[in-house]
Amino acid sequence: MKPPVFEYHAPASVDEAIALLTRYGGEGKILAGGQSLMPLLNFRLSRPAAIVDLNGIASLAYVREDDGMIRFGAMTRQRTIEFSDVVKRRLPLLTEATLLVGHLPIRTRGTIGGSIAHADPSAEYPAVLTALDGTVVVRGPRGERTLSPTELFQTYLTTSLGPEDILVEVRLPVMAPGAGFAFEEFSRRHGDFAIVGVAAVLVGDGHRCTTARLATAGAGPTPVRLRSAEEILERDGLGEAAIDAAAARAAELVEPDGDIHASAAYRRNLTRVLTGRALRRALTKMGRR
Ligand SMILES: Cc1cc2nc3c(=O)[nH]c(=O)nc-3n(C[C@H](O)[C@H](O)[C@H](O)COP(=O)(O)OP(=O)(O)OC[C@H]3O[C@@H](n4cnc5c(N)ncnc54)[C@H](O)[C@@H]3O)c2cc1C
């Protein structure tokens, strides 16, 4: 399979990239790691007039700890995140989720910005962004703005980014020291996109659960934050009954669609099962089980 003909540009700065995208007025496409875009081009599902390649913009690749926040340049490779010490220490949920993204060659090229901008509902990074209350910084012709996950993700493979916008940074608040966490997912083969995935973070104080965070991948058109399931744990604690109740509530909160991989009912049931598993494993990490 070969891609359709396109103009190719390799800008050296974000401003230059925005000017190019503006010049092509919606007919330009950003290239990051190419792990999702190149198959779309090769299958001719996307036919942009121009490719604007961000790989030459060195200032877009970094991992920085800054005032309770880890900031990732959009072009930071998933492989860099997998091996980052600061991510292992401050955002272990992200390290765990990264190991579930495709295979090694995909993570070597794939970027955090590309994964989030692509907005595949089954992808791990959008779920982590949602679970951790992260934000993304977007630059476009009218300046810079910061978006929450609900402001960003609209539906399958669709975000609120305009054709001239570039996602430049991902910001994730550091996890509380001693927090329990787990990313549980089910896929047919290792490395495949998840049929459903659940990200969980628990912070405890004695027998209380002070903070619970739960978000799904693959259980609807966008990642779903399971707030009222979290509330059960924050109110009732982390015993077996509360975990089962939170998992049951999680299944009620999602609105999955059926597709060739799984029916809607199956995805709903998986949400319940994986929420229970993720919470129990998160508890183990807190030394509670
Ligand atoms: C076999 C295979 C298995 C995979 N399995 C998984 C998996 O299990 N989990 C998972 O999460 N992913 C998986 N992926 C996808 C992979 O993680 C991709 O790297 C990711 O989805 C896209 O990132 P990228 O950097 O390659 O972006 P690209 O493919 O270059 O771009 C993807 C889209 O995002 C846009 N874009 C890219 N960067 C930006 C930006 N900074 N601002 C605005 N728009 C931008 C592009 O224009 C394009 O529309 C898999 C891919 C393959 C080929």
Side-chain angles (χ1 to χ4, degrees):
M1 291 298 218
K2 291 184 186 148
V5 174
F6 52 78
E7 299 281 324
Y8 174 81
H9 297 277
S13 70
V14 172
D15 286 343
E16 200 187 323
I18 292 170
L20 281 162
L21 291 167
T22 306
R23 194 212 294 172
Y24 283 97
E27 296 298 321
K29 203 84 181 129
I30 291 169
L31 174 68
Q35 298 305 295
S36 297
L37 181 60
M38 291 315 296
L40 288 173
L41 294 179
N42 289 344
F43 282 113
R44 311 234 166 168
L45 295 169
S46 178
R47 294 172 171 270
I51 291 289
V52 177
D53 183 351
L54 301 186
N55 285 275
I57 309 179
S59 62
L60 278 179
Y62 55 84
V63 180
R64 290 184 195 135
E65 185 169 5
D66 189 9
D67 200 19
M69 195 73 75
I70 308 294
R71 295 163 48 205
F72 299 91
M75 288 299 290
T76 308
R77 307 287 169 189
Q78 295 154 0
R79 187 89 170 133
T80 304
I81 294 169
E82 179 179 340
F83 286 101
S84 161
D85 281 336
V86 69
V87 175
K88 279 191 187 113
R89 276 186 285 112
R90 303 295 198 200
L91 293 169
L93 177 71
L94 184 63
T95 307
E96 182 168 314
T98 302
L99 289 165
L100 298 169
V101 176
H103 307 274
L104 188 145
I106 289 154
R107 298 197 292 271
T108 302
R109 293 301 301 165
T111 64
I112 187 169
S115 178
I116 290 174
H118 190 56
D120 190 311
S122 297
E124 289 81 5
Y125 282 0
V128 171
L129 184 78
T130 302
L132 295 181
D133 271 335
T135 52
V136 297
V137 180
V138 177
R139 276 179 60 189
R142 283 165 300 283
E144 190 170 286
R145 63 195 194 278
T146 302
L147 301 175
S148 67
T150 49
E151 291 167 329
L152 178 70
F153 299 119
Q154 295 196 324
T155 183
Y156 293 101
L157 305 176
T158 307
T159 67
S160 57
L161 298 186
E164 294 139 12
D165 286 333
I166 301 180
L167 192 163
V168 289
E169 188 174 89
V170 178
R171 295 180 179 166
L172 295 174
V174 300
M175 291 164 60
F181 63 90
F183 199 110
E184 281 287 338
E185 70 177 39
F186 180 77
S187 58
R188 281 176 188 268
R189 293 174 309 186
H190 173 72
D192 280 3
F193 273 103
I195 292 178
V196 171
V198 174
V201 180
L202 294 172
V203 182
D205 178 11
H207 290 291
R208 288 180 51 237
C209 169
T210 50
T211 307
R213 294 275 179 271
L214 287 165
T216 60
T222 61
V224 183
R225 178 77 182 273
L226 303 169
R227 186 63 200 129
S228 69
E230 296 169 358
E231 281 167 359
I232 291 173
L233 302 164
E234 290 167 357
R235 188 189 60 229
D236 298 343
L238 297 168
E240 289 294 317
I243 289 177
D244 287 343
R249 184 78 189 107
E252 291 166 1
L253 292 172
V254 294
E255 290 183 18
D257 293 312
D259 60 20
I260 53 162
H261 302 294
S263 67
Y266 185 77
R267 285 180 199 270
R268 190 182 293 284
N269 191 49
L270 260 186
T271 304
R272 180 186 61 75
V273 172
L274 295 175
T275 301
R277 271 187 209 166
L279 289 171
R280 288 185 170 92
R281 201 153 60 75
L283 269 176
T284 309
K285 292 230 171 73
M286 294 165 81
R288 299 284 191 91
R289 285 171 67 88

